[in-house]
Amino acid sequence: MKFGILINEGPYNHQSADSAYQFCKAAIERGHEIDRVFFYHDGVNNATKLTEPPQDDRHIVNRWSKLAEEHGVDLVVCVAAGLRRGIVDDNLAAGFRISGLGQLVESGIRSDRVVTFGD
Amino acid sequence: MTESTGGIEMEEDMSGTVKKFAFINRKAPYGTIYALESLEVVLISAAFDQDVSLVFADDGVYQLKKGQATKAVGMKNFSPTYRALEGYDIEKLYVEKSSMEARGLTTDDLIVDVEVLDSAEMAALLEEQDVVLSF
């Protein structure tokens, strides 16, 4: 099955980034396809390479980058939501790209299911 | 609302694919950004010629309340945009009945024409959707 993923909440502040990551990993392991992960609202904060959690904590941003590198998952940050929150190309972590909201709608059209992670 | 119109170019030809998109709005308009950013996705979806429905439930019914005066809180009143949706061929607006009634509102309090659905009718509406996005 082909999944589109929408993440609406920021990392560390909220469970949605963790749940979405676990979901993506489990889906890929079971042979499903992640069409795209779209970061919206405060979810765009998943994409900043300035993130530096304590050593003993999970690194949410690097975890996404690794998922993109190993499985070619398309990580898309909403340009408008990103600009509002200071997420731009200069501080974008590896594996992410910035694009428009059309990418979310497009993924909805193309995927069998869209799963939202947020409040 | 013009800032987010980028990225609507298609990566592959999906012309002709029309899915039923429902956007569920559950939050009050100004305490958080969800309502405003939901509206931005709704407007973009219109550019893709999809079959779009908007649902207002819980505090989301306040998004449609007449007479929003936001100057004192330093926010832009974006409620006129709901009236403009018709121009984007987005005409299916649904309000969840118990949410509206619990807040002492009637359809006379709302800035646009809506269809009021009880919870069973709402469940039926959502059951027939292809993509449900909840904000």
Side-chain angles (χ1 to χ4, degrees):
Chain A
M1 190 174 274
K2 193 188 275 196
F3 289 102
I5 306 292
L6 171 64
I7 298 180
N8 288 335
E9 298 294 335
Y12 302 103
N13 186 57
H14 195 283
Q15 185 188 341
S16 74
D18 293 288
S19 303
Y21 172 77
Q22 304 295 353
F23 180 91
C24 289
K25 239 182 113 202
I28 290 166
E29 278 167 15
R30 290 286 186 95
H32 299 293
E33 184 189 341
I34 304 298
D35 175 65
R36 178 171 290 155
V37 182
F38 192 85
F39 297 87
Y40 197 39
H41 302 298
D42 274 359
V44 299
N45 291 313
N46 276 273
T48 168
K49 68 180 176 191
L50 300 175
T51 302
E52 250 181 273
Q55 291 277 338
D56 58 353
D57 198 356
R58 71 230 187 273
H59 198 308
I60 294 177
V61 177
N62 288 356
R63 214 165 55 177
W64 286 122
S65 296
K66 200 169 163 232
L67 194 74
E69 191 188 341
E70 290 177 355
H71 301 285
V73 175
D74 190 18
L75 308 175
V76 180
V77 178
C78 170
V79 59
L83 282 172
R84 273 200 183 98
R85 296 164 178 86
I87 307 298
V88 293
D89 278 323
D90 283 349
N91 56 14
L92 201 64
F96 290 87
R97 63 188 181 90
I98 293 176
S99 191
L101 277 166
Q103 300 268 307
L104 170 61
V105 179
E106 185 186 72
S107 186
I109 297 171
R110 206 161 55 188
S111 302
D112 300 304
R113 291 277 190 284
V114 174
V115 185
T116 303
F117 292 87
D119 249 354
Chain B
M1 294 279 154
T2 52
E3 62 188 310
S4 56
T5 50
I8 60 169
E9 69 281 359
M10 301 281 199
E11 280 178 357
E12 58 192 72
D13 184 21
M14 289 177 297
S15 54
T17 306
V18 178
K19 283 196 172 180
K20 285 176 177 286
F21 275 74
F23 296 92
I24 308 180
N25 299 286
R26 297 172 296 126
K27 305 276 198 340
Y30 302 103
T32 62
I33 200 170
Y34 297 101
L36 175 63
E37 287 190 332
S38 167
L39 202 46
E40 292 182 351
V41 190
V42 168
L43 293 172
I44 292 291
S45 69
F48 282 78
D49 294 327
Q50 299 300 298
D51 182 355
V52 175
S53 298
L54 265 60
V55 171
F56 298 87
D58 301 336
D59 275 351
V61 297
Y62 286 129
Q63 294 177 24
L64 300 180
K65 176 84 174 61
K66 277 180 188 163
Q68 297 181 24
T70 59
K71 207 173 170 188
V73 290
M75 306 285 282
K76 183 183 164 190
N77 176 8
F78 57 87
S79 64
T81 310
Y82 295 107
R83 289 195 208 221
L85 290 175
E86 210 175 359
Y88 290 84
D89 290 330
I90 296 172
E91 292 164 335
K92 298 178 187 172
L93 277 61
Y94 303 96
V95 166
E96 204 272 320
K97 189 165 184 268
S98 63
S99 301
M100 185 175 74
E101 290 175 352
R103 287 159 183 80
L105 301 173
T106 70
T107 51
D108 290 340
D109 296 307
L110 307 181
I111 54 171
V112 284
D113 291 333
V114 299
E115 193 173 330
V116 179
L117 303 182
D118 65 28
S119 58
E121 292 166 327
M122 191 61 81
L125 174 79
L126 295 178
E127 178 67 27
E128 65 184 34
Q129 303 299 314
D130 298 308
V131 181
V132 177
L133 297 175
S134 178
F135 295 108

